Amino acid sequence: MLMHYSENTANPLFKNADIAVDLFFILSGFVLMHSYRKKLLLGLSAREYIRKRIIRLYPMFAISMAIGIPALLIAGAAGLADYPLRAMIVASLNNLLFIPYLGDHGVGNFVGAAAQFPVERFTVGEIFPANPSAWSLFFEMIASVALLVLVRLQKRDLIRIIVGSAFLLLATGALLGWEHKGAVPMFFGAGWGTHNFFVGFIRVAYGFTMGVLVYLLHEKPLPQPFGGVLSGILRNDIALYVLLAVLVACPFGIKGLFPMAVIFIVAPLMVYRGASIAPSGRVGAQFAHFLGWLSYPVYCLHFPIGRLVFIYFPHSQQHPVQTIAISVALTIVVSVIATKLIEEPVRTYLTRKFASRKREGLKKAGSVV
């Protein structure tokens, strides 16, 4: 959120925050294995599983689109988007169906309506124009479907997928870096736009499968002395928070070597170690629960809300700190309200609506196992 809000200011924050998406893919593979592995192996149908994933992801995404579509139209009216009306309609209809829009139009994000922002600096080809952050949710849904196969694979097969996708990720990272910077640095921040859309499949294939493998490995201790060193560095949840903050706040990419080290080494180890760490007391548990509860709505809502704040705040360019602070505060407030009053009741209703005795019986059987 802070990376996006500050990207067009004089002092962008958290330049390496996009690696959090790769951490998210790994964590997602781990969490879905934890939540659904036994149920799928016990007979939970593919249709019911996918229905559960849609019920989990879509309501908040729909809320974000209800804000994001008007925000995109307003951006166009303010001269901060070069989408023709027809393209906006087609893109929005596609996105509402969770289908990417592969276009070549651009948007000036988080610059304010009064700013003279050159068209050549527009962000071009966002596959979810009304809510650009939703690109990773599309690939998350693809990965959710892939879990139906991954859950039944042996470790050696998972390793083959990880090695193959890692090689492709390195190759595309080198090609994209060469294309954008004229040298051969590594660029891993792909998948969000038309010009790098297909790299997103490689990115999620590596991260999600790695999360599945980490889940299968996490109950076995790492070999000494490596396991002891990892446990010594990440002693508790506070150390995990600090490490994550350091990773995203690091201002140096070192020609792609820093994100490469995080994606292929640090992030998997963080998930592996984090699975064995309990929260620090009652307060730590409540804090972790709150962050987990708030993270998805904030991720969904921050982009469209920030767009509106930057457009309507009269001095967004002269006072970017105030604009960012307003955007953050409004995002958190709307996230809490939307989750409590809309998203959670809707998910509860949909879950009850599509529940059946057979599914309830399966749930009880799974709890016994």
Side-chain angles (χ1 to χ4, degrees):
M1 176 169 61
L2 290 174
M3 181 194 74
H4 285 150
Y5 287 167
S6 65
E7 63 185 4
N8 284 314
T9 65
N11 299 294
L13 300 171
F14 305 115
K15 294 181 180 180
N16 285 303
D18 58 341
I19 58 178
V21 173
D22 300 280
L23 175 61
F24 162 73
F25 285 148
I26 297 171
L27 187 60
S28 180
F30 185 99
V31 169
L32 290 189
M33 281 287 284
H34 176 74
S35 299
Y36 290 106
R37 181 174 183 247
K38 288 183 179 179
K39 295 175 183 178
L40 288 170
L41 294 178
L42 282 170
L44 179 68
S45 70
R47 177 182 295 181
E48 175 62 11
Y49 164 70
I50 292 172
R51 182 180 294 159
K52 287 176 178 290
R53 295 304 296 148
I54 293 173
I55 291 173
R56 176 65 186 95
L57 294 176
Y58 194 83
M60 184 56 70
F61 168 73
I63 295 171
S64 77
M65 292 296 288
I67 302 172
I69 292 173
L72 181 62
L73 291 170
I74 292 169
L80 291 174
D82 61 9
Y83 282 77
L85 180 59
R86 179 184 178 87
M88 286 190 183
I89 294 173
V90 172
S92 298
L93 291 175
N94 279 10
N95 291 169
L96 283 170
L97 295 173
F98 234 51
I99 300 172
Y101 174 74
L102 303 181
D104 58 356
H105 304 291
V107 183
N109 292 315
F110 312 120
V111 293
Q116 296 297 320
F117 197 69
V119 175
E120 57 270 18
R121 291 186 59 192
F122 280 10
T123 303
V124 177
E126 292 166 328
I127 61 175
F128 281 81
N131 186 5
S133 296
W135 74 267
S136 64
L137 302 181
F138 165 77
F139 289 107
E140 163 73 5
M141 184 57 73
I142 297 295
S144 294
V145 175
L147 184 69
L148 293 167
V149 175
L150 295 176
V151 73
R152 291 174 169 82
L153 295 184
Q154 300 295 318
K155 292 177 186 176
R156 62 177 180 273
D157 299 315
L158 294 172
I159 292 172
R160 288 169 183 160
I161 295 173
I162 291 169
V163 171
S165 56
F167 174 79
L168 291 174
L169 192 57
L170 286 169
T172 54
L175 290 173
L176 287 172
W178 194 7
E179 174 188 348
H180 288 292
K181 300 183 180 180
V184 193
M186 306 296 291
F187 178 76
F188 296 103
W192 57 267
T194 301
H195 63 289
N196 57 42
F197 169 65
F198 291 102
V199 180
F201 291 99
I202 301 171
R203 194 173 177 183
V204 74
Y206 164 78
F208 192 84
T209 309
M210 176 63 80
V212 170
L213 180 63
V214 169
Y215 177 82
L216 296 177
L217 297 175
H218 85 281
E219 293 182 349
K220 296 181 179 180
L222 290 174
Q224 293 290 349
F226 184 74
V229 171
L230 181 63
S231 300
I233 296 174
L234 299 176
R235 291 178 177 272
N236 51 39
D237 54 345
I238 297 174
L240 270 176
Y241 294 139
V242 171
L243 177 58
L244 178 61
V246 170
L247 294 179
V248 299
C250 178
F252 307 109
I254 317 176
K255 293 191 175 183
L257 295 179
F258 176 77
M260 182 171 67
V262 174
I263 293 169
F264 293 112
I265 300 174
V266 180
L269 290 176
M270 286 180 68
V271 175
Y272 177 91
R273 176 59 182 150
S276 304
I277 295 177
S280 300
R282 182 178 179 182
V283 174
Q286 291 174 338
F287 181 64
H289 182 270
F290 177 72
L291 289 180
W293 178 81
L294 189 64
S295 62
Y296 183 57
V298 165
Y299 188 80
C300 280
L301 298 177
H302 79 274
F303 216 105
I305 290 175
R307 267 184 178 165
L308 289 174
V309 172
F310 271 79
I311 289 173
Y312 282 111
F313 191 67
H315 304 293
S316 57
Q317 291 302 297
Q318 294 87 345
H319 305 287
V321 174
Q322 291 91 324
T323 310
I324 292 172
I326 293 171
S327 299
V328 169
L330 189 59
T331 296
I332 293 174
V333 169
V334 173
S335 295
V336 171
I337 294 173
T339 302
K340 282 289 188 182
L341 299 185
I342 304 175
E343 194 252 5
E344 288 185 343
V346 168
R347 282 202 291 124
T348 300
Y349 169 79
L350 292 175
T351 300
R352 289 175 179 172
K353 178 74 174 177
F354 294 103
S356 68
R357 294 177 182 176
K358 180 180 178 181
R359 291 166 201 143
E360 290 172 358
L362 179 62
K363 182 178 180 181
K364 291 178 182 179
S367 64
V368 171
V369 173

